[in-house]
Amino acid sequence: MITVTSAKTEKLIRIVLVDDDDVFRDLIGANLTRRGYQVASVRDGASLYRELIEHPADIVVLDIDLPGDNGLLIAGQLRAMQRTRLYGIIILTSDSNLQMRLDGLDSGADVFLTKPTTPLEINAHIQSLYRRLTLNLQSHDQRPWRFSRNSWKLIAPSGAEIVLTHLETLLLDILADSPGRPVRRKDIISTALQQDPLAYDERRLEAVVSRLRRKIAKLYAASQPIKVAHSVGYIFADPIERE
């Protein structure tokens, strides 16, 4: 049985599996249940939202190709909502090209898996991700991120220093003003970057965010604080202080 134990309680890891392939969903769901997880299986985004209202989860395993909202959109929405922004998100897709993988990670996913995959592989990633989530929660209790605009540095809860470029510093400057709340792309471009939003190519901003997220992931694996708020902008989701 996969549990997390403390002095007061024993907690089952709760997973919601979202896939419109009934055979695949039943196979993976049954296997994860046998491994001791608490599993709910749904076939689309609307059913997922209803499920999460009734029963909060720890990790969402999410196929990209779904009826209605696709998996990238759903991942972004989960990251944008206060009550779900710290969930673990594993995205599944049959498309293995690099851009799709980058889109999946930029949408807010923690793990990106290419189908066909196996219950064994999914289980391994669930356990690894849950350990990271637990470390993240512990770091929340201990110390926040720190941002130094003058020295162009972002300092992780572990003390690891991420050296920033000028554009990354400008981006973090505006995100740090609204921790936990989405900042619109338009505001980032006009206020932080001091560019005309009508003339600015948003792909340049996306490239800045992607590079910064990769820097953070390399030096501090316990958390990815910069989340995508789909169709809105970006969020610095963790507590952060200025130096």
Side-chain angles (χ1 to χ4, degrees):
M1 180 174 292
I2 312 293
T3 61
V4 176
T5 305
S6 70
K8 294 182 179 180
T9 186
E10 185 177 78
K11 179 183 181 298
L12 287 174
I13 298 175
R14 188 165 193 279
I15 298 165
V16 181
L17 174 63
V18 191
D19 199 303
D20 64 336
D21 183 331
D22 295 338
V23 174
F24 178 83
R25 189 177 68 247
D26 291 346
L27 171 66
I28 299 298
N31 186 276
L32 293 177
T33 298
R34 285 196 299 272
R35 291 176 181 273
Y37 298 105
Q38 188 178 61
V39 182
S41 298
V42 298
R43 71 181 318 273
D44 56 28
S47 301
L48 169 65
Y49 299 137
R50 288 194 294 269
E51 175 66 25
L52 293 179
I53 288 172
E54 295 292 330
H55 306 287
D58 297 300
I59 294 173
V60 175
V61 181
L62 182 64
D63 188 47
I64 280 186
D65 298 317
L66 296 170
D69 291 349
N70 66 35
L72 297 181
L73 177 59
I74 293 169
Q77 290 173 336
L78 293 176
R79 287 293 179 233
M81 293 187 291
Q82 183 69 22
R83 67 192 301 269
T84 60
R85 65 185 180 86
L86 296 180
Y87 284 7
I89 301 176
I90 298 175
I91 281 187
L92 306 174
T93 181
S94 56
D95 191 339
S96 61
N97 72 72
L98 176 60
Q99 187 57 52
M100 180 62 74
R101 296 178 71 87
L102 293 175
D103 289 345
L105 294 172
D106 283 345
S107 73
D110 298 286
V111 177
F112 189 97
L113 295 178
T114 303
K115 288 181 175 180
T117 186
T118 65
L120 185 63
E121 182 180 21
I122 294 175
N123 174 65
H125 282 284
I126 287 172
Q127 292 192 53
S128 176
L129 177 55
Y130 195 81
R131 285 193 295 269
R132 286 169 49 197
L133 293 173
T134 302
L135 287 174
N136 186 27
L137 289 174
Q138 292 172 350
S139 71
H140 280 206
D141 294 336
Q142 295 169 3
R143 59 179 69 89
W145 292 79
R146 290 177 289 140
F147 169 58
S148 174
R149 191 184 195 283
N150 291 335
S151 61
W152 295 13
K153 288 182 180 179
L154 177 66
I155 303 169
S158 65
E161 293 188 353
I162 296 121
V163 178
L164 307 170
T165 66
H166 177 59
L167 290 179
E168 290 166 352
T169 301
L170 295 177
L171 169 65
L172 278 173
D173 193 35
I174 192 169
L175 294 183
D177 281 340
S178 303
R181 299 193 301 274
V183 180
R184 297 185 305 170
R185 288 183 179 85
K186 178 181 177 181
D187 293 335
I188 294 172
I189 294 167
S190 62
T191 303
L193 305 183
Q194 297 185 338
Q195 300 288 326
D196 180 357
L198 297 178
Y200 188 84
D201 186 349
E202 289 194 5
R203 289 176 295 182
R204 294 169 59 190
L205 174 59
E206 292 169 1
V208 172
V209 173
S210 293
R211 284 195 299 269
L212 179 54
R213 283 167 55 91
R214 287 195 289 272
K215 281 185 182 180
I216 292 171
K218 183 177 180 180
L219 292 175
Y220 187 70
S223 173
Q224 176 52 257
I226 299 178
K227 311 296 186 185
V228 179
H230 192 80
S231 301
V232 179
Y234 298 96
I235 307 168
F236 198 96
D238 293 355
I240 185 170
E241 295 179 352
R242 291 179 177 275
E243 290 191 339

